[in-house]
């Protein structure tokens, strides 16, 4: 039986439970978060050493910091960063792009290309040389999200993974800026 487009991008294996999807999202997060943090720290160190460039903030970090002091704005920022962005980004990069690429390429090139596009989506001129670190770090994250999507065959897994990544990052930003 041929799957609908929605089934092809949302859940390719309907026999798997949603609990299983969430579990794989959690496992992917637990494995990748330390790797992505270490890679980001290394790339930050590299751009500081090579380019003597120290100060940059990701756009989402600036956005969240600018909302502090206004509870409603902070709640909206957290909703955007933790719920809305992971849903939209995963729908675009894994659901649509990677699914399209997988029809024309093998799985690993599809994961690499969607990871690369995901990383470049986060490019901002305000980050200057910091873009090097952001893009390389988010490429690793995007590739890993692609692998989890292919392994689990569920958009829910990578949305949950991405949301956990963003909530942990937002929590670190809020803790750093309050102390």
């Amino acid at each position: 039986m041929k799957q609908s487009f929605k089934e092809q991008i949302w859940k390719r294996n309907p026999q798997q439970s949603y609990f299983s999807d969430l579990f794989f999202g959690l496992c992917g997060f637990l494995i990748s978060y330390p790797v992505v943090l270490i890679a980001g720290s290394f790339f930050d160190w590299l751009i500081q050493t090579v380019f003597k460039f120290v100060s940059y903030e990701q756009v989402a970090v600036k956005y969240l910091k600018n909302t502090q002091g206004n509870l409603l704005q902070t709640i909206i920022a957290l909703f955007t960063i933790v719920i809305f962005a992971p849903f939209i980004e995963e729908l675009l990069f894994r659901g649509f792009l990677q699914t399209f690429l997988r029809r024309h390429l093998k799985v690993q090139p599809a994961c690499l290309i969607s990871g690369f596009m995901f990383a470049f989506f986060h490019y901002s001129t305000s980050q200057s040389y910091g873009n090097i670190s952001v893009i390389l770090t988010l490429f690793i994250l995007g590739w890993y999200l692609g692998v989890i999507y292919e392994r689990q065959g569920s958009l829910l897994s990578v949305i949950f993974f991405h949301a956990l990544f963003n909530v942990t990052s937002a929590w670190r930003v809020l803790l750093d800026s309050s102390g």
Side-chain angles (χ1 to χ4, degrees):
M1 182 168 83
K2 188 172 174 162
Q3 288 182 311
S4 71
F5 181 69
K6 177 184 168 195
E7 291 169 330
Q8 288 176 26
I9 64 167
W10 185 257
K11 188 152 181 69
R12 293 190 311 269
N13 186 354
Q15 284 76 34
Q16 288 178 189
S17 71
Y18 288 109
F19 176 78
S20 173
D21 294 339
L22 295 174
F23 178 75
F24 267 86
L26 175 63
C27 289
F29 165 76
L30 292 174
I31 293 167
S32 72
Y33 193 76
V35 172
V36 172
L37 281 182
I38 291 167
S41 296
F42 172 74
F43 295 136
D44 284 343
W45 171 81
L46 193 62
I47 64 165
Q48 289 170 10
T49 303
V50 172
F51 299 108
K52 308 294 184 226
F53 182 77
V54 178
S55 179
Y56 79 94
E57 283 185 327
Q58 288 184 7
V59 173
V61 171
K62 284 183 199 176
Y63 172 53
L64 183 57
K65 284 183 175 182
N66 287 336
T67 67
Q68 290 185 310
N70 184 315
L71 182 60
L72 180 60
Q73 286 181 347
T74 302
I75 290 170
I76 292 169
L78 287 170
F79 175 81
T80 302
I81 292 166
V82 174
I83 306 294
F84 187 71
F87 179 80
I88 296 298
E89 290 177 5
E90 293 314 314
L91 182 64
L92 289 174
F93 293 104
R94 259 50 71 186
F96 295 136
L97 180 62
Q98 189 166 315
T99 298
F100 172 80
L101 292 170
R102 188 179 356 94
R103 286 190 208 132
H104 303 285
L105 303 169
K106 293 183 179 184
V107 169
Q108 273 310 316
C111 291
L112 290 169
I113 292 168
S114 70
F116 183 74
M117 298 303 290
F118 170 77
F120 266 93
F121 180 75
H122 293 84
Y123 173 88
S124 172
T125 55
S126 69
Q127 293 166 169
S128 186
Y129 288 115
N131 278 307
I132 296 168
S133 178
V134 170
I135 289 169
L136 291 173
T137 303
L138 291 180
F139 170 71
I140 294 168
L141 177 64
W143 170 80
Y144 204 88
L145 286 162
V147 169
I148 295 294
Y149 180 60
E150 290 302 328
R151 162 62 182 87
Q152 193 61 14
S154 168
L155 207 52
L156 181 60
S157 292
V158 291
I159 290 170
F160 186 61
F161 175 151
H162 194 153
L164 287 172
F165 189 90
N166 284 7
V167 77
T168 306
S169 299
W171 182 58
R172 289 180 57 221
V173 167
L174 292 174
L175 284 178
D176 285 349
S177 61
S178 68

